[in-house]
Amino acid sequence: MASSLDPSTVADMEDSHLQSTTPTASDDNTTNTEGDPKTSSPSLTLSAKNETLEDETANEPDERETALKNEQDDATHIPRRVLPCIILSQFAGTSLWFAGNAVQSDFADEFNLPDSSLSVLTSAVQAGFITGTLIFAIFNVADRFLPTRVFCLSTLVGALVNALIPVLAHDLAGMVILRFATGLALAGVYPVGMKVASDWYRAGLGRALGLLVGALVLGTAFPFLLKLIPQPWEFLLYETSILAATGGLVMVYWVPNGPFRQAASQFQPRAVLELFQSPDFSVAARGYWGHMFELYAFWAWCPVVWEAYLERNEVEWDESLVTFFVIATGALGCAVGGCLSPRFGSGRVALFSLTASGSCCLLSPAFYYNPVTTITLLFYLIWGATVAADSPQFSALVAAAAPPEKRGTALTLVNSIGFAITIASIQLLGVPISEAYLFLLLAPGPILSVYAMRGFFVSKTGK
């Protein structure tokens, strides 16, 4: 029968057979699904895989853009009351810090304390703070529990202990114990307050911490302003206790948990060691420690130096008022530094402040012998502004370099080591030398910090 077919018909049948046995793109997909390699086209299969890979790669920028947009949306939805409430609470809570220093002369006169009591009482607060921060770091308190509640409880305890000083402290030993307990409570105020701020602000953290540390500086200076009110020294302690308790209540009732908070489960010593393996974290920590060598010793001994300066020049100014303004200008320096950090970077702002305050240390003898009091005061106001301005920038650098789940512990640990250094510098200034050369002993702190920061700007954090 085949011989009876027309040749053209046979040709058409062969073409039809070839078309039916040639795989198409849809056939290839079906065959691949069924797993028959013999009937699949390698070129078409590779093309399909490439298209799938391109689609997945194209989705990655979209996912990053979505994450960035979500972060920006979170930032825009921050309630307006959050930052002012954190600042107010930090100011109120840290008023306990130098409340004992403000009444130290009255307390010393009433109980016949030695001249060395100033450095002893100041170091007692610092030692309590160090002990508290180490406890907080070991148990991850700021990361495991709600930081606003930790802050509130700490301010209430600190306020109670501070108010008990007139009742229980009748000698230097009693005052030291209660001031040590105050320092323990402050461990839940200063670093935990920064933890609360870092939970709310990821973009612009340097600015937020600048305002926050500015509040701490103003709170530290505030007891010296209260000292100008003609009242018994006991009242000053009661007033700062009421203020601190109020700040704690504002924090717990008006500041909710931040959107970037991540809780940690337990303390891991190896994880703490891993923090210092980060170049950014290590540089920020070492820079902060040199800064701390200068800061609190300068604040603590400022009224002593100014009392001697005013007596030498026979100027009837109140050293407590001068000390208040010198310390309080640090709040302005922190605020200005916080506003400049988004443009110039926290690393550059910190380096400029360190250089300025270190230069003031070296120039301090010349201004002590300067007879023009207003010029010396202006010098000290500049010093007061720059000596504190780098503190929030270092905190921002530490917070940015630490993983979110370890951020609270990192801030607490770096602070505890920094405050251990302040004890050494505060005691160092108790050496029997002229007040004219006293602050020269603080110069190694900012000098070493500047040296530590020398290679910082090659990292992302310092840019």
Side-chain angles (χ1 to χ4, degrees):
M1 294 182 60
S3 61
S4 65
L5 292 175
D6 183 75
S8 63
T9 304
V10 172
D12 293 340
M13 291 177 62
E14 290 177 352
D15 291 341
S16 175
H17 174 71
L18 289 174
Q19 291 177 1
S20 63
T21 57
T22 302
T24 61
S26 59
D27 292 335
D28 182 62
N29 292 339
T30 306
T31 304
N32 288 340
T33 305
E34 295 173 352
D36 186 2
K38 294 181 180 180
T39 59
S40 63
S41 172
S43 61
L44 291 175
T45 303
L46 181 60
S47 176
K49 289 182 178 180
N50 289 338
E51 291 178 0
T52 303
L53 182 60
E54 290 175 358
D55 291 340
E56 292 176 353
T57 306
N59 288 334
E60 291 181 1
D62 294 337
E63 294 175 357
R64 290 194 294 267
E65 292 175 2
T66 302
L68 179 60
K69 185 178 184 300
N70 291 337
E71 181 176 324
Q72 293 173 345
D73 290 342
D74 289 338
T76 57
H77 289 112
I78 296 177
R80 292 184 177 179
R81 71 176 187 275
V82 167
L83 187 57
C85 286
I86 297 176
I87 292 172
L88 175 62
S89 299
Q90 189 83 316
F91 160 76
T94 54
S95 66
L96 300 173
W97 214 305
F98 270 34
N101 292 62
V103 302
Q104 184 271 337
S105 59
D106 298 310
F107 190 84
D109 292 340
E110 184 168 336
F111 297 102
N112 298 318
L113 300 183
D115 295 337
S116 60
S117 61
L118 172 63
S119 59
V120 172
L121 292 176
T122 305
S123 297
V125 180
Q126 308 299 81
F129 181 85
I130 295 163
T131 305
T133 51
L134 288 176
I135 293 173
F136 274 52
I138 291 173
F139 294 101
N140 273 0
V141 174
D143 292 316
R144 295 178 63 185
F145 304 98
L146 295 179
T148 54
R149 294 182 181 178
V150 174
F151 185 99
C152 179
L153 181 61
S154 300
T155 55
L156 294 178
V157 171
L160 176 61
V161 172
N162 188 62
L164 288 176
I165 290 177
V167 180
L168 301 179
H170 302 296
D171 54 15
L172 182 59
M175 186 74 159
V176 167
I177 292 173
L178 291 175
R179 291 302 290 163
F180 178 87
T182 303
L184 280 173
L186 286 169
V189 177
Y190 174 34
V192 176
M194 291 193 297
K195 161 66 175 171
V196 174
S198 65
D199 287 345
W200 274 102
Y201 296 92
R202 181 169 297 176
L205 181 60
R207 174 181 174 274
L209 292 184
L211 297 174
L212 191 63
V213 179
L216 177 146
V217 174
L218 199 58
T220 302
F222 190 65
F224 291 102
L225 184 62
L226 293 178
K227 180 77 184 303
L228 300 176
I229 302 175
Q231 61 181 347
W233 63 270
E234 296 90 345
F235 284 18
L236 187 148
L237 297 178
Y238 297 145
E239 290 160 0
T240 51
S241 292
I242 294 172
L243 180 62
T246 303
L249 295 175
V250 168
M251 178 70 83
V252 76
Y253 284 111
W254 287 84
V255 181
N257 294 320
F260 304 123
R261 178 178 179 268
Q262 294 188 19
S265 57
Q266 60 183 357
F267 177 71
Q268 298 176 348
R270 183 177 299 179
V272 173
L273 295 177
E274 289 174 356
L275 289 172
F276 290 95
Q277 295 177 1
S278 166
D280 289 346
F281 185 88
S282 178
V283 169
R286 287 185 285 125
Y288 175 76
W289 294 335
H291 148 78
M292 290 296 286
F293 183 85
E294 176 191 12
L295 180 63
Y296 274 84
F298 173 73
W299 284 350
W301 286 91
C302 186
V304 175
V305 173
W306 265 94
E307 183 180 9
Y309 174 82
L310 294 173
E311 289 180 358
R312 183 178 184 276
N313 292 277
E314 299 181 351
V315 177
E316 296 183 356
W317 287 5
D318 193 310
E319 66 272 10
S320 295
L321 181 61
V322 173
T323 302
F324 166 76
F325 281 115
V326 170
I327 297 178
T329 53
L332 179 61
C334 290
V336 172
C339 293
L340 293 177
S341 61
R343 179 176 180 181
F344 298 101
S346 293
R348 288 185 174 86
V349 173
L351 183 61
F352 173 81
S353 301
L354 284 169
T355 304
S357 64
S359 300
C360 290
C361 288
L362 298 175
L363 293 173
S364 59
F367 283 90
Y368 182 87
Y369 289 113
N370 171 43
V372 184
T373 309
T374 53
I375 295 179
T376 301
L377 176 61
L378 179 61
F379 169 77
Y380 269 80
L381 292 177
I382 295 174
W383 193 354
T386 56
V387 74
D390 47 356
S391 188
Q393 303 311 316
F394 280 123
S395 298
L397 295 173
V398 169
E405 68 277 7
K406 298 184 182 71
R407 188 171 294 152
T409 298
L411 289 169
T412 302
L413 184 64
V414 170
N415 272 275
S416 66
I417 298 174
F419 277 88
I421 294 172
T422 66
I423 294 180
S425 59
I426 289 171
Q427 295 297 321
L428 177 64
L429 267 59
V431 298
I433 64 173
S434 170
E435 288 84 355
Y437 305 102
L438 203 60
F439 288 145
L440 273 178
L441 301 177
L442 300 179
I447 290 175
L448 291 175
S449 289
V450 170
Y451 179 78
M453 296 284 289
R454 71 192 187 284
F456 190 80
F457 301 106
V458 299
S459 65
K460 294 180 179 180
T461 313
K463 291 179 179 179

